[in-house]
Amino acid sequence: MSPQLTDIHAELQWRQLIYQCTSDRLGSWLMARPRTVYAGFDPTSDSLHVGHLLPLLMLRRFQKSGHRPIALVGGATGSIGDPSGKSQERNLQSLEQIEANVVSIRQQMAGLLDFSSDRHSALGPALLVNNHDWISRFSYLDFLRDVGKNVPVNVMINKESVKNRLENPDVGISYTEFSYMLLQAYDFVHLNRTFGCELQLGGSDQWGNVTAGIDLARRMAGAEVFGMTCPLLTKSDGTKMGKTESGAIWLDPKKTSPYQFYQYWRNVADEDAGKCLRFLTELPQEEVDHLDQCRATEPAKAASQIRLAEWLTELIHGPAAMELVRQATEIFFGGEIGKFASDEDLNQVFAEVPSSELVAARLADGVSIADALVEAKLTKSKGEARRVVAEGGAYVNNRRVDSDTHLVTTADLSSPTMIVLRRGKKNYALLRIVD
RNA sequence: GGGGGGAUACCAAAGUGGACAACUGGGACAGACUGUAAAUCUGUUGUCUUCGGACUUCGCAGGUUCGAAUCCUGCUCCCCCCA
């Protein structure tokens, strides 16, 4: 039997995920039968980052409630650059680069969307499409005749994204970026014709592009399609969610380790935690409400942040990675380091930590704590190392070393060939014993 | 082209023959506190050390002196004023 539809509209409402909507009867429209919905992603990098999570989770929610999501990767539009929300003309990327990005992004999406089974929706599994496939087939002349003819320029120049750039004489806007909207609009028409797609999702900055698509679909195909935008996920201090001083938080574990990923969410400000729980998790309403309460009464426990971090880390990196992150977190925040049976496990927990090599013979004789700290590059000189020990800032296996005559020996091994050293709160280093 | 001022540690900035490994502020690093936040407080901040000290450092190279960041000579670089 075919999967049941659940009321996605009601869910999005309590999650406050609906910012704008082209129709006020969207709720019943979505309950009438399974629909095909799409959202677009720019392949500007070889990995998705936290900024992509919100729309991706939107598609996931739609799939889970019985609809069919299409993730559109903008191989064509990404090569042009969307002027929305951008103050400057973008640099163009090479087509090969974009092609490579599309391949790895598809893999990441497969973790969140079901591209293979139709158990979620009667319409079938989720789809991943690349607009380069159809847009590149157009000749310039054909595009102008078929698409351009249907779009009044006076409407285009009144769109927010274009208007901002036109009004600023310093940056301006190229004809190429100006045309971006047409391409995205045509995507909707194409998806509507090919897959019966009837709803486009996007961030609130996409409203202009979304409505352009709806207009175009009516003019070109006489089709009635819909659009919906989500609020943008911003932090209470006004900065972008998902950015740190050291750059974006990526979904690719090679670019942002699961531990860093977890820690990012673990450290979300209280003011932003409620929003994140609603926008970025699938926790039920009762639990979110409960966490809101806990946050108000016992902020120190950071229950919301922990739940958020665990939920997202498990979703993106899987339960096994989450378990290691849990272990690492325990250790990094004070726990003593017990014996690890294998170097492998210890290595995983301390994946971020730099390591240095130490000859086995030296360890057998015992290495002074100062030498060990220098060897592990935790201090620049022995003098500095001695000071750190005197200040109580030196640790072996998370146990404070209180005397600078302390010798590090084979008894300090935390796994068959490794010793964990630490200076201060968070500076860890591994000593690998080699022959 | 002429005249004047300057160069000190990660940064800023004192120090004008010995008490100077060099005041002070910032930064950084530890510790306490704390919610893995912020603020605050304390300590440290050239190298080595057998913890007694030893050695190297105030733009660069020489010199004077028992002794130089400090005085002299030359060089390099920077700033300002006049033309």
Side-chain angles (χ1 to χ4, degrees), chain A residues 302-373:
Chain A
S304 299
Q305 284 87 342
I306 291 171
R307 194 75 184 88
L308 172 70
E310 286 183 350
W311 195 90
L312 276 171
T313 306
E314 191 162 327
L315 176 74
I316 303 298
H317 299 295
M322 182 57 231
E323 189 42 49
L324 280 167
V325 167
R326 208 188 310 275
Q327 269 187 57
T329 301
E330 200 172 302
I331 286 170
F332 285 135
F333 292 95
E336 256 199 29
I337 300 170
K339 295 281 183 201
F340 278 79
S342 74
D343 293 340
E344 188 63 21
D345 287 354
L346 189 75
N347 242 330
Q348 296 244 13
V349 169
F350 286 92
E352 335 276 285
V353 166
S355 67
S356 312
E357 299 190 340
L358 184 72
V359 180
R362 288 183 58 196
L363 187 69
D365 298 340
V367 179
S368 81
I369 179 67
D371 282 331
L373 288 170

Side-chain angles (χ1 to χ4, degrees), chain A residues 61-369:
Chain A
R61 292 182 212 282
F62 272 90
Q63 181 167 45
K64 282 193 148 187
S65 68
H67 302 278
R68 176 173 63 160
I70 299 178
L72 178 146
V73 186
T77 38
S79 68
I80 302 286
D82 180 359
S84 305
K86 304 289 189 309
S87 53
Q88 285 194 352
E89 183 86 7
R90 271 202 267 172
N91 295 326
L92 298 182
Q93 300 185 92
S94 77
L95 289 175
E96 298 79 54
Q97 183 60 55
I98 290 169
E99 193 46 48
N101 291 345
V102 169
V103 171
S104 52
I105 285 174
R106 169 194 278 270
Q107 264 189 322
Q108 290 185 331
M109 287 186 172
L112 299 188
L113 300 176
D114 187 345
F115 289 116
S116 54
S117 89
D118 55 4
R119 68 192 166 88
H120 291 290
S121 170
L123 293 173
L127 298 172
L128 188 128
V129 297
N130 182 349
N131 62 7
H132 190 260
D133 294 347
W134 58 85
I135 289 178
S136 63
R137 285 206 296 267
F138 265 112
S139 75
Y140 185 55
L141 212 51
D142 287 341
F143 190 78
L144 290 182
R145 291 176 63 93
D146 294 351
V147 180
K149 197 71 180 163
N150 291 300
V151 184
V153 168
N154 47 341
V155 173
M156 287 176 74
I157 59 177
N158 279 315
K159 299 276 185 189
E160 203 66 26
S161 59
V162 173
K163 217 157 125 189
N164 290 343
R165 293 278 288 273
L166 287 176
E167 280 165 2
N168 189 342
D170 293 338
V171 286
I173 182 167
S174 68
Y175 177 71
T176 302
E177 281 199 21
F178 179 64
S179 317
Y180 178 92
M181 188 189 302
L182 261 71
L183 297 181
Q184 183 167 336
Y186 181 73
D187 284 342
F188 204 171
V189 175
H190 175 87
L191 293 179
N192 177 255
R193 282 178 179 162
T194 315
F195 302 108
C197 178
E198 298 171 286
L199 173 65
Q200 180 178 181
L201 307 172
S204 58
D205 56 339
Q206 292 293 310
W207 183 249
N209 292 334
V210 171
T211 51
I214 292 169
D215 284 346
L216 189 64
R218 193 182 58 245
R219 287 166 196 262
M220 285 183 74
E224 191 194 15
V225 292
F226 300 88
M228 196 185 106
T229 59
C230 313
L232 293 178
L233 183 58
T234 52
K235 289 202 282 187
S236 53
D237 61 7
T239 59
K240 247 185 179 165
M241 185 63 84
K243 291 269 188 213
T244 63
E245 310 88 56
S246 46
I249 304 290
W250 300 94
L251 304 195
D252 182 344
K254 288 198 264 322
K255 300 182 94 158
T256 299
S257 73
Y259 178 76
Q260 289 168 336
F261 183 85
Y262 173 90
Q263 285 296 323
Y264 179 79
W265 299 111
R266 175 56 237 262
N267 286 321
V268 161
D270 287 352
E271 304 82 73
D272 300 322
K275 200 197 248 185
C276 288
L277 285 170
R278 284 175 176 77
F279 285 15
L280 299 175
T281 75
E282 288 164 5
L283 298 175
Q285 187 166 13
E286 309 81 69
E287 187 171 356
V288 172
D289 288 344
H290 177 67
L291 286 168
D292 281 346
Q293 258 175 31
C294 293
R295 202 164 57 251
T297 54
E298 292 180 297
K301 288 209 165 136
S304 299
Q305 284 87 342
I306 291 171
R307 194 75 184 88
L308 172 70
E310 286 183 350
W311 195 90
L312 276 171
T313 306
E314 191 162 327
L315 176 74
I316 303 298
H317 299 295
M322 182 57 231
E323 189 42 49
L324 280 167
V325 167
R326 208 188 310 275
Q327 269 187 57
T329 301
E330 200 172 302
I331 286 170
F332 285 135
F333 292 95
E336 256 199 29
I337 300 170
K339 295 281 183 201
F340 278 79
S342 74
D343 293 340
E344 188 63 21
D345 287 354
L346 189 75
N347 242 330
Q348 296 244 13
V349 169
F350 286 92
E352 335 276 285
V353 166
S355 67
S356 312
E357 299 190 340
L358 184 72
V359 180
R362 288 183 58 196
L363 187 69
D365 298 340
V367 179
S368 81
I369 179 67

